[in-house]
Amino acid sequence: MADAEAVIRPATPRDQEAVADIYAHYVLHTVATFETTVPGVADWERRLDDLTGRGLPFVVAELSGQVAGFAYAALWRPKPAYCHTVEDTIYLAPSATGRGLGSALLREVIAGAARAGVRQMIAVIADTGSDASAALHRRCGFTEAGRLTAVGRKHGRWIDTLLLQRDLTAAEPE
């Protein structure tokens, strides 16, 4: 269960510095993202503008007035026939894990994407040795769609990705 003071809300331009800081941790210290260069605040502002301009959700989790995590849905692939399929992204500040914020963020992104007319959501999860992200997605109705073996190399190791998928036209999981 998320903390009582947790607020999930649409992201704003003023949140993007905190978003950039949260994401920088994962770029620099983990293989959870395959990015190797930390995107700046302006990059995040452009992403927010692009996604909200498309009617797609970009939300933040706020704890005690501070951004503690973020999530969004972005186009899965740029080709026009994929326009009804998105990929979700969720990151929490390291100090904010284990509080239910990931579930709250993912549920809001699922709902926002469904409202935007999206039919399928894909999760691309780096195999970091932890099942936390896959378990989160499974709890929210995602099922395994496949595995791509050794498709990324970061911090001196080859990394698999697990693909999960959720039909957004189906009823919400209980």
Side-chain angles (χ1 to χ4, degrees):
M1 189 61 129
D3 290 357
E5 73 270 16
V7 174
I8 307 300
R9 62 170 175 75
T12 67
R14 75 176 188 280
D15 299 320
Q16 299 314 300
E17 184 173 349
V19 166
D21 288 344
I22 290 167
Y23 192 67
H25 165 79
Y26 293 93
V27 172
L28 296 172
H29 304 291
T30 78
V31 295
T33 175
F34 286 3
E35 294 253 23
T36 57
T37 303
V38 176
V41 174
D43 297 311
W44 286 104
E45 289 170 346
R46 281 189 293 277
R47 183 167 300 167
L48 174 64
D49 287 346
D50 177 59
L51 296 176
T52 56
R54 295 174 186 272
L56 294 171
F58 191 138
V59 296
V60 295
E62 204 176 79
L63 287 174
S64 303
Q66 301 296 314
V67 173
F70 67 93
Y72 60 85
L75 293 178
W76 165 241
R77 296 281 187 256
K79 294 177 181 164
Y82 287 118
C83 68
H84 298 286
T85 301
V86 295
E87 177 182 347
D88 74 273
T89 295
I90 302 171
Y91 287 95
L92 299 175
S95 63
T97 62
R99 299 179 182 195
L101 297 176
S103 294
L105 284 165
L106 183 53
R107 285 189 183 99
E108 184 58 33
V109 167
I110 289 168
R115 285 191 300 271
V118 172
R119 297 183 55 85
Q120 298 290 326
M121 186 173 283
I122 308 297
V124 180
I125 301 171
D127 185 0
T128 63
S130 168
D131 189 50
S133 186
L136 163 65
H137 283 82
R138 287 185 189 104
R139 283 193 307 273
C140 289
F142 285 74
T143 57
E144 191 165 332
R147 175 177 291 275
L148 302 173
T149 305
V151 293
R153 184 161 178 81
K154 187 174 177 187
H155 299 310
R157 69 185 256 214
W158 288 103
I159 305 138
D160 296 353
T161 56
L162 177 64
L163 302 175
L164 292 110
Q165 181 174 354
R166 185 178 190 287
D167 181 353
L168 300 188
T169 65
E172 277 293 310
E174 294 186 25

